[in-house]
Amino acid sequence: MNEKYLVFEVYHDHIKLVSKGKWILETIRHIENILQSIPSDKKIIWDVSGVSEFDSAGILLFIEYLNYFEAQSKVKVTGYTSKQKEMYDLLKKQHKSKKTIHAYQESTLERIGKKTIHIYDDTKEMLRFFGELFSNLFYTILHPKEFRYKEMVYHIYHSGFSALMIVAITTFLVGMVIAYQGSVQLAKFGADIFIVDTVGISIVRELGPMITAIVIAGRSGSAYTAEIGAMKITEEISAMRTMGFDPYSFLVLPRIVALMIALPLLIFFADIVGIFGGMFASRMQLGISIEQFVNRLYEVLEVKHYILGMIKGPVFAFLIAAVGCFRGFQVSQNTESIGLHTTQSVVNSIFLVIAFDALFSVIYTELDL
Amino acid sequence: MSVIEAKDIITKFDTRTIHDHVNFSINENEIYAIIGESGSGKSVLMKEMIMLASPTAGHINILGQNLQHITPRKAQELRRNWGVLFQFGALFSSLTIAENIELQLKEYTNISKKMRDKLVYSKLELVGLESYAGKLYPSELSGGMIKRAALARALAMDPKLLFLDEPTSGLDPIGARNFDQLIVNLRDLLGITVVMITHDLDSMFSIVDRMAVLADKHVVAEGTLENVLQSQHPFVEAFFKNEYTKQRFKGKIKDVQ
Ligand SMILES: Nc1ncnc2c1ncn2[C@@H]1O[C@H](COP(=O)(O)OP(=O)(O)OP(=O)(O)O)[C@@H](O)[C@H]1O
Ligand SMILES: [Mg+2]
């Protein structure tokens, strides 16, 4: 079928190329394939009189290969129409002035360099963000009247209260899973009742805070980034600045404080629901009655475990909200960057939550808590 | 008396120089236009005037304050003395139009809610919006209505200075002329000084008192239309003295030459 566009015959001292049919966007892919297969060591006579239709892509292809052939040997073009010549001249000018830009291949070293600079810039921006944040925080502590209580309440509702359901379901399931898995092992030793210790302590100390924080990072951290990012794109942040409203005290602080209040409360709630989950599974699997469970829980679950778990709440909340806002401010003037930064915000905050959880574990162990 | 004075502004992004010794001054109570090609740095210059960005070097004086050495408190005071109309409105999308206009009144004054509502609706009327628009969200307005609502918000605190970024772009010709008339009325009525970026020839020929032409990284011509038309700079030639403008604004251009 390619015969339709281009045929060539090789003679002993020259090659005859005959173009015909449509040289347009839809066909040039086929034509280029044939052109590539043409040997260019002999003089070429290129007859274009058979071309019935052409567009700028067709002519560009022609120019491209004409240049290529000319570089190797002599070329003679015959049979072009005046219209073709006009378009040829127009495109030829552009073609000369702008060399074809070859896809630029970055070297490894260059990539490392760029990445390093990116990390350096990112760090600088982060330091700036936290600098502004803390100066604002201290100012607000000294001038508590200027704190945006209304916004804070709004965010407590949206990041805290509205998340109750999802936090409940998640931790209930986690509590159940722990109890199921534990009971299989403990039943082997006939130590059924120890399931209460396992569930109670692991939920309250570790899983409750961590699972809740991860859910909230995915839910509110991402929302903060997207909200602030969108405001940046529509220049609402600039507008705020020109009106004398500082975005840190209007947008960042209320969100951070709201989450620092809401997350511990959510963790408290998650602890209870998680233990319920464990209780439910123990009853199904091991036949431990609710009364037995509660009595045992009362004996083994010291208040200290509960407090140690709770302390993590405000820290996780600060990390999630601060990262969410920080990434939001990094959004630049295009919509794609909202998605990019939202993803980054969630990944960062979940990582930070897990890393800080590990840090807490080390500290607690070192302190024999 | 000059309200705004810019001296030797230099702006660089990385190694690219946008402004190279830009100078101009804006007098009280005049409508001052900044014109120039796309990408010549008009919006950046405006951002530097309203303290959203700062120049690499140079001084800007506004209402007697040097922006380079301003204390946060003074800066805050200054911000209450100007209103800014962004090119795309930049209305707060989570608030209704009325709430948008009301916001600064609520923050900075202690007037009663009833009084605030009255003020809000008087501003809406001033810019020619029906009062029902106050209850709508920005996403529910047309492009022209957004411009008007944003202007109403910029006027909320009765500013001394009004910055407008391409106020008539995206408006229909009739709407654009009405908007021009509105700006003149505001200037006459409230005695404000208007700084605007514009590409709109009609505005330049009808309402602008003085203008600065930004090209080749600096101000190549400044002054009244007559003064500017005397410039031989290629941009001025191309912008004002092409066949179309010669035809359209026959009287005005001939007067000068
Ligand atoms: N944040 C930035 N970082 C890098 N370069 C920028 C930035 N902001 C603006 N520029 C550059 O500064 C130059 C001037 O931009 P500016 O937006 O002021 O143009 P303009 O005169 O307002 O144009 P238009 O009439 O199209 O609005 C452009 O070349 C632009 O690429
Ligand atoms: Mg602009």
Side-chain angles (χ1 to χ4, degrees):
Chain A
M1 64 165 264
N2 293 342
E3 303 271 295
K4 271 198 324 215
Y5 310 118
L6 185 71
V7 285
F8 68 96
E9 295 147 25
V10 181
Y11 298 95
H12 71 279
D13 66 336
H14 71 276
I15 300 171
K16 193 169 159 57
L17 275 180
V18 181
S19 306
K20 45 187 184 172
K22 296 179 176 176
W23 277 51
I24 55 174
L25 265 178
E26 285 77 16
T27 60
I28 57 168
R29 186 72 223 146
H30 304 296
I31 300 172
E32 193 169 7
N33 286 340
I34 317 172
L35 279 169
Q36 272 164 357
S37 66
I38 293 175
S40 56
D41 49 349
K42 291 178 195 154
K43 183 174 180 232
I44 291 174
I45 296 175
W46 196 339
D47 179 8
V48 296
S49 58
V51 175
S52 62
E53 198 184 329
F54 65 93
D55 61 8
S56 59
I59 298 268
L60 264 181
L61 184 74
F62 173 74
I63 293 174
E64 187 77 33
Y65 276 87
L66 187 61
N67 285 348
Y68 170 70
F69 291 141
E70 270 175 344
Q72 327 253 340
S73 59
K74 282 192 74 161
V75 186
K76 194 171 166 229
V77 181
T78 60
Y80 44 81
T81 63
S82 65
K83 201 169 154 221
Q84 279 170 339
K85 175 86 171 103
E86 249 171 56
M87 190 127 148
Y88 171 84
D89 286 342
L90 180 74
L91 290 170
K92 182 80 181 174
K93 236 190 285 166
Q94 295 173 2
H95 205 265
K96 247 189 217 149
S97 58
K98 267 185 267 154
K99 271 189 259 162
T100 13
I101 301 161
H102 293 283
Y104 179 65
Q105 193 74 43
E106 275 183 357
S107 71
T108 317
L109 210 58
E110 197 175 342
R111 264 206 303 275
I112 296 174
K114 275 191 178 158
K115 192 89 194 158
T116 313
I117 290 178
H118 177 76
I119 293 173
Y120 170 73
D121 285 342
D122 219 36
T123 316
K124 226 165 56 180
E125 274 174 35
M126 198 174 70
L127 285 178
R128 211 191 110 114
F129 174 82
F130 281 102
E132 289 225 30
L133 177 59
F134 281 113
S135 79
N136 249 281
L137 192 65
F138 287 124
Y139 179 84
T140 311
I141 290 173
L142 296 177
H143 304 82
K145 262 201 197 141
E146 289 179 32
F147 184 65
R148 320 285 313 170
Y149 292 99
K150 240 174 152 175
E151 273 80 3
M152 183 193 74
V153 173
Y154 173 88
H155 287 296
I156 289 182
Y157 177 79
H158 280 276
S159 319
F161 186 78
S162 313
L164 280 176
M165 202 59 202
I166 181 74
V167 167
I169 295 171
T170 321
T171 42
F172 187 82
L173 291 176
V174 169
M176 260 178 68
V177 170
I178 300 280
Y180 266 119
Q181 293 298 321
S183 63
V184 176
Q185 308 300 324
L186 290 169
K188 284 185 198 158
F189 303 103
D192 297 13
I193 194 69
F194 283 101
I195 195 66
V196 181
D197 308 36
T198 313
V199 170
I201 294 176
S202 62
I203 291 279
V204 166
R205 247 184 106 121
E206 288 291 333
L207 293 169
M210 195 156 96
I211 300 288
T212 313
I214 289 174
V215 168
I216 294 301
R219 201 177 168 279
S220 302
S222 59
Y224 292 174
T225 308
E227 282 162 16
I228 293 179
M231 288 185 78
K232 214 170 155 205
I233 288 185
T234 55
E235 288 197 293
E236 283 174 52
I237 304 252
S238 297
M240 282 178 76
R241 287 213 165 97
T242 61
M243 292 161 85
F245 299 154
D246 183 55
Y248 283 84
S249 55
F250 271 70
L251 302 174
V252 180
L253 273 188
R255 282 180 168 78
I256 291 182
V257 176
L259 209 57
M260 285 175 81
I261 293 172
L263 192 59
L265 295 175
L266 281 174
I267 291 176
F268 173 71
F269 174 69
D271 286 349
I272 297 172
V273 180
I275 290 173
F276 263 118
M279 201 188 285
F280 180 70
S282 313
R283 201 186 136 116
M284 308 278 290
Q285 191 76 0
L286 299 168
I288 295 174
S289 75
I290 291 178
E291 202 183 350
Q292 273 175 303
F293 193 100
V294 172
N295 281 338
R296 175 73 188 167
L297 194 66
Y298 195 66
E299 278 169 36
V300 296
L301 188 62
E302 293 173 52
V303 177
K304 107 181 167 189
H305 295 305
Y306 166 74
I307 293 173
L308 290 179
M310 240 16 198
I311 289 174
K312 298 175 184 175
V315 178
F316 289 169
F318 178 81
L319 293 171
I320 294 167
V323 168
C325 295
F326 168 61
R327 292 291 180 205
F329 279 111
Q330 277 189 320
V331 169
S332 53
Q333 293 298 336
N334 60 70
T335 40
E336 194 189 352
S337 109
I338 289 197
L340 219 69
H341 283 94
T342 307
T343 312
Q344 225 172 10
S345 144
V346 175
V347 171
N348 291 160
S349 51
I350 290 182
F351 168 75
L352 281 175
V353 163
I354 294 175
F356 270 72
D357 194 63
L359 188 69
F360 271 115
S361 288
V362 173
I363 295 173
Y364 289 169
T365 319
E366 287 297 312
L367 295 176
D368 278 330
L369 290 168
Chain B
M1 194 197 95
S2 68
V3 200
I4 300 181
E5 202 172 348
K7 264 212 177 106
D8 292 328
I9 301 294
I10 297 174
T11 309
K12 287 183 183 163
F13 290 111
D14 292 326
T15 51
R16 216 150 47 95
T17 307
I18 309 293
H19 303 133
D20 187 15
H21 294 279
V22 166
N23 290 291
F24 60 88
S25 71
I26 301 172
N27 298 328
E28 194 169 357
N29 208 10
E30 72 180 351
I31 298 178
Y32 191 91
I34 298 174
I35 67 174
E37 286 183 276
S38 248
S40 57
K42 304 179 296 291
S43 296
V44 172
L45 196 59
M46 178 124 132
K47 283 196 178 127
E48 288 168 355
M49 286 192 266
I50 54 180
M51 296 195 282
L52 286 176
S54 53
T56 315
H59 295 281
I60 301 177
N61 267 299
I62 297 189
L63 297 171
Q65 300 287 338
N66 185 336
L67 299 192
Q68 267 54 47
H69 308 111
I70 197 167
T71 61
R73 192 181 299 270
K74 287 273 182 206
Q76 198 70 352
E77 225 169 75
L78 203 51
R79 287 195 184 102
R80 273 177 230 177
N81 277 320
W82 66 46
V84 182
L85 171 64
F86 285 82
Q87 192 171 350
F88 300 103
L91 291 165
F92 300 119
S93 46
S94 55
L95 304 178
T96 64
I97 301 306
E99 285 167 339
N100 261 287
I101 301 170
E102 192 187 4
L103 200 60
Q104 274 176 300
L105 294 170
K106 216 161 127 186
E107 280 305 313
Y108 295 136
T109 68
N110 47 15
I111 53 180
S112 69
K113 170 76 183 149
K114 213 175 118 197
M115 195 59 211
R116 282 207 303 265
D117 283 344
K118 281 213 174 110
L119 271 170
V120 166
Y121 285 100
S122 82
K123 301 287 170 196
L124 279 176
E125 199 171 319
L126 190 65
V127 299
L129 281 176
E130 304 273 346
S131 58
Y132 75 86
K135 297 195 179 58
L136 300 178
Y137 285 90
S139 59
E140 296 165 338
L141 297 188
S142 77
M145 288 163 88
I146 285 179
K147 284 244 147 102
R148 283 166 190 275
L151 182 64
R153 183 179 71 178
L155 292 171
M157 296 289 286
D158 287 329
K160 291 197 183 74
L161 255 172
L162 194 58
F163 292 95
L164 313 168
D165 194 347
E166 303 197 15
T168 54
S169 74
L171 295 183
D172 67 275
I174 300 168
R177 299 294 70 82
N178 287 342
F179 209 92
D180 276 351
Q181 195 51 49
L182 177 61
I183 292 168
V184 174
N185 290 347
L186 288 173
R187 191 266 309 267
D188 296 343
L189 213 66
L190 307 172
I192 49 185
T193 308
V194 180
V195 183
M196 64 186 209
I197 294 175
T198 185
H199 293 293
D200 192 330
L201 280 163
D202 288 287
S203 309
M204 289 174 216
F205 280 95
S206 56
I207 66 162
V208 168
D209 296 318
R210 293 197 318 130
M211 59 182 101
V213 182
L214 213 55
D216 296 337
K217 299 173 188 166
H218 49 256
V219 176
V220 295
E222 195 199 5
T224 58
L225 186 64
E226 286 73 28
N227 294 344
V228 167
L229 285 176
Q230 250 131 49
S231 161
Q232 306 289 316
H233 190 275
F235 175 76
V236 178
E237 296 275 328
F239 194 84
F240 288 107
K241 299 175 198 166
N242 56 42
E243 282 313 309
Y244 172 75
T245 30
K246 271 185 185 160
Q247 281 293 319
R248 186 130 167 26
F249 302 99
K250 240 182 223 153
K252 293 214 169 188
I253 293 187
K254 225 184 252 150
D255 287 350
V256 179
Q257 285 166 343

